[in-house]
């Protein structure tokens, strides 16, 4: 992927990238996901999420460092989720406490894709001043590269999670125990730490569009396989393609993939409020939620069309099914994304803590 120029496509040309748009990136992601979910995931993380956040909010040296790493083949890790803060990501307890001009990180992240193999890590943490008062949530850039002898003290990689799919890339726990990082590692979004969580999640909307595109690409690949097999396989003296029950399934699958693709591309070219460099939050949530749920159904239906052969490993369907199942979970579960979409439609703020509901501007004005 480095040789093909796919790592760091979105990085601006002045840092060695191609300055590719989100739309150009998702076109490539779809094609790759048709054949290999894992490679598509690497592509998304090497162009969206953390990379997008650094290119939008980073200092010159931070951008140069991340560009160098990614263009050389690193897939950065985005470290948000914690054992007690999954969907409730804003309740993270990992802290970054200021001591002089440094920060000391303490806490535990889990299910981090690339844990143990990624070099660049964007770690979200609750920022405390020297007296322990909270300042908001910030992003911290941490490089770990054992091959080059860079192993930050106080940063350990815990056990790998064993998963039903996507087995070519580890998900692991990362433990920060008094790890000291300098001020130059702080990713400072506009609005400072008080608006840090919102700004970092805003950057993450690009990765939601990327993740949704992977799911859609896997479904598109499964649909191709299904079309091939319906023409190839014969039962009752006729090709499966002649059975109307399967034809209607195929038409529904095609419509689902097509609708997902349109929603994802619409989100990819959209921009959030206030001149954001990232896709509109609601469009990203809607597209990822729809594409991931649709893809699980489409791949399941494709597998069904193969009968026993779909359940076996001579065809890629069983692998695609195991891979695609993840996309309604990671990157914001389908339920969380639906809540965000509904909140936008109704003009209701939707924090999920007891007593947290509020009315946003539009409804209040009505
Ligand atoms: C956002 C949530 C964590 C819910 O938490 P809260 O209820 O505490 O937060 P909110 O009040 O909804 O939001 C606080 C603040 O942030 C703004 N915000 C939130 N999300 C976004 C967004 N996507 N884009 C832009 N801005 C956002 C929100 O508007 C608020 O700002 P104001 O104060 O109103 O101005 C929860 O809903 C959530 O998103 N949970 C999912 C967590 C998640 O996605 N984790 C992903 C981990 S990385 C990963 O899985 C990688 C896998 S992969 O990509 O393959
Ligand atoms: C393969 C994989 C890779 C991942 N990679 C990363 C990564 O690189 N970086 C990272 O930070 N994280 C990563 N994650 C973690 C991922 O972001 C979380 O799994 C996800 O945000 C959900 O959190 P949780 O698993 O703790 O589920 P929980 O939040 O415990 O949710 C459990 C169930 O309850 C539902 N639920 C929770 N709250 C609500 C609510 N308010 N309303 C309705 N339903 C609700 C959820 O939808 C879900 O069905 C990865 C996960 C997987 C599976």
């Amino acid at each position: 992927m480095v040789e093909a120029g796919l790592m760091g496509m979105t990085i601006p040309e002045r840092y060695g990238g191609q300055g590719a748009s989100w739309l150009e990136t998702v076109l490539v992601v779809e094609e790759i996901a048709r054949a290999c979910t894992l490679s598509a995931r690497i592509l998304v993380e090497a162009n969206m999420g953390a990379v997008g956040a650094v290119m939008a909010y980073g200092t010159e040296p931070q951008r140069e460092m991340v560009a160098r790493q990614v263009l050389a083949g690193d897939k950065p890790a985005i470290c948000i989720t914690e054992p007690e803060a999954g969907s409730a990501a804003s309740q993270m307890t990992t802290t970054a406490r200021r001591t002089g001009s440094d920060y000391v990180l303490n806490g535990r992240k889990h299910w981090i894709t690339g844990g143990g193999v990624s070099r660049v890590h964007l770690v979200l943490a609750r920022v405390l001043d020297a007296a322990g008062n909270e300042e908001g949530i910030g992003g911290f850039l941490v490089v770990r590269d054992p091959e080059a002898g860079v192993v930050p003290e106080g940063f350990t990689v815990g056990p790998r999670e064993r998963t039903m799919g996507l087995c070519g890339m580890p998900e692991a726990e990362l433990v920060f125990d008094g790890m000291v990082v300098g001020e130059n590692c702080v990713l400072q979004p506009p609005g400072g730490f008080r608006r840090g969580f919102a700004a970092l999640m805003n950057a993450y909307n690009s990765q939601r569009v990327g993740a949704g595109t992977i799911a859609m690409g896997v479904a598109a690949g499964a649909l191709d396989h299904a079309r091939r097999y319906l023409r190839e396989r014969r039962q009752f003296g006729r090709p499966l393609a002649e059975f109307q029950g399967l034809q209607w399934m195929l038409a529904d699958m095609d419509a689902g993939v097509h609708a997902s693709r349109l929603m994802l591309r619409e989100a990819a070219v959209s921009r959030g409020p206030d001149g954001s460099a990232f896709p509109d939050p609601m469009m990203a949530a809607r597209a990822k939620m729809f594409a991931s749920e649709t893809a699980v159904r489409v791949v399941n239906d494709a597998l069904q069309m193969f009968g026993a052969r779909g359940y076996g490993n001579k065809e890629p369907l069983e692998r695609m099914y195991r891979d695609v199942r993840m996309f309604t979970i990671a990157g914001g579960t389908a339920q969380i994304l639906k809540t965000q979409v509904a909140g936008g439609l109704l003009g209701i703020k939707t924090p999920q803590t007891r007593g947290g509901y509020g009315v946003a501007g539009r409804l209040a004005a009505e």
Side-chain angles (χ1 to χ4, degrees):
M1 285 201 281
V2 170
E3 282 168 19
L6 301 181
M7 302 294 282
M9 289 167 63
T10 57
I11 292 174
E13 288 178 27
R14 64 182 184 282
Y15 304 111
Q18 299 168 49
S21 65
W22 304 128
L23 178 63
E24 285 165 326
T25 309
V26 298
L27 296 179
V28 181
V29 169
E30 176 184 342
E31 290 310 311
I32 296 212
R34 281 171 183 259
C36 180
T37 326
L38 230 299
S39 303
R41 286 198 79 210
I42 293 172
L43 188 54
V44 165
E45 294 213 71
N47 285 290
M48 299 167 136
V51 172
V54 172
M55 294 304 143
Y57 308 140
T59 60
E60 281 297 300
Q62 288 172 344
R63 290 179 194 178
E64 283 164 10
M65 182 276 285
V66 169
R68 199 169 49 248
Q69 291 281 2
V70 172
L71 294 169
D74 184 45
K75 178 217 79 73
I78 188 154
C79 313
I80 302 174
T81 307
E82 299 180 0
E84 302 307 324
S87 296
S90 56
Q91 296 188 350
M92 66 182 68
T93 57
T94 295
T95 52
R97 188 167 183 155
R98 198 192 296 262
T99 56
S101 61
D102 292 336
Y103 291 84
V104 183
L105 262 69
N106 279 295
R108 197 175 281 266
K109 299 284 175 181
H110 76 166
W111 282 96
I112 304 307
T113 301
V117 298
S118 288
R119 293 179 190 153
V120 173
H121 299 73
L122 175 60
V123 184
L124 271 65
R126 202 166 280 290
V127 183
L128 308 176
D129 67 15
N133 302 310
E134 187 178 333
E135 295 186 350
I137 286 177
F140 295 82
L141 283 168
V142 179
V143 176
R144 181 181 180 277
D145 184 1
E147 280 173 27
V150 182
V151 183
E153 208 174 313
F155 177 4
T156 48
V157 178
R160 177 181 179 172
E161 301 287 348
R162 292 289 154 191
T163 54
M164 72 184 274
L166 298 166
C167 302
M169 167 86 74
E171 266 82 34
E173 183 181 60
L174 305 181
V175 181
F176 303 97
D177 184 9
M179 187 184 73
V180 179
V181 295
E183 212 160 24
N184 59 339
C185 299
V186 180
L187 188 63
Q188 191 72 256
F193 295 133
R194 282 275 157 241
R195 299 290 309 153
F197 181 74
L200 291 163
M201 288 307 287
N202 194 36
Y204 187 70
N205 290 323
S206 60
Q207 189 147 321
R208 283 190 174 158
V209 177
T213 303
I214 304 172
M216 180 270 287
V218 176
L223 181 61
D224 289 344
H225 286 292
R227 286 167 55 208
R228 162 181 54 89
Y229 196 67
L230 291 192
R231 291 198 193 100
E232 261 172 39
R233 172 79 172 158
R234 298 175 73 86
Q235 284 294 284
F236 300 98
R238 335 161 51 182
L240 294 185
E242 291 185 4
F243 298 121
Q244 194 175 51
L246 299 180
Q247 290 172 356
W248 287 3
M249 274 168 78
L250 196 71
D252 283 340
M253 289 156 68
D254 173 68
V257 170
H258 194 62
S260 301
R261 186 181 288 121
L262 292 177
M263 260 186 239
L264 288 158
R265 291 186 186 175
E266 178 195 44
V269 296
S270 71
R271 289 294 171 265
D274 304 331
S276 168
F278 299 102
D280 177 77
M282 188 159 147
M283 284 191 195
R286 178 170 60 197
K288 196 245 171 192
M289 166 267 280
F290 183 83
S292 59
E293 290 196 331
T294 301
V296 173
R297 272 198 307 276
V298 168
V299 178
N300 186 41
D301 285 351
L303 188 153
Q304 183 69 21
M305 288 174 170
F306 278 79
R309 196 175 170 86
Y311 195 64
N313 69 4
K314 288 198 180 68
E315 296 285 344
L317 275 306
E318 62 85 26
R319 191 266 303 159
M320 290 169 132
Y321 185 73
R322 288 184 290 105
D323 284 354
V324 86
R325 188 61 190 81
M326 180 279 256
F327 291 91
T328 64
I329 300 171
T333 67
Q335 290 72 37
I336 287 297
L337 299 181
K338 284 178 192 187
T339 300
Q340 290 188 354
V341 171
L345 291 172
L346 295 167
I348 296 173
K349 272 191 75 71
T350 55
Q352 299 292 297
T353 47
R354 285 194 182 152
Y357 259 70
V359 178
R362 191 170 63 77
L363 199 63
E366 279 168 3

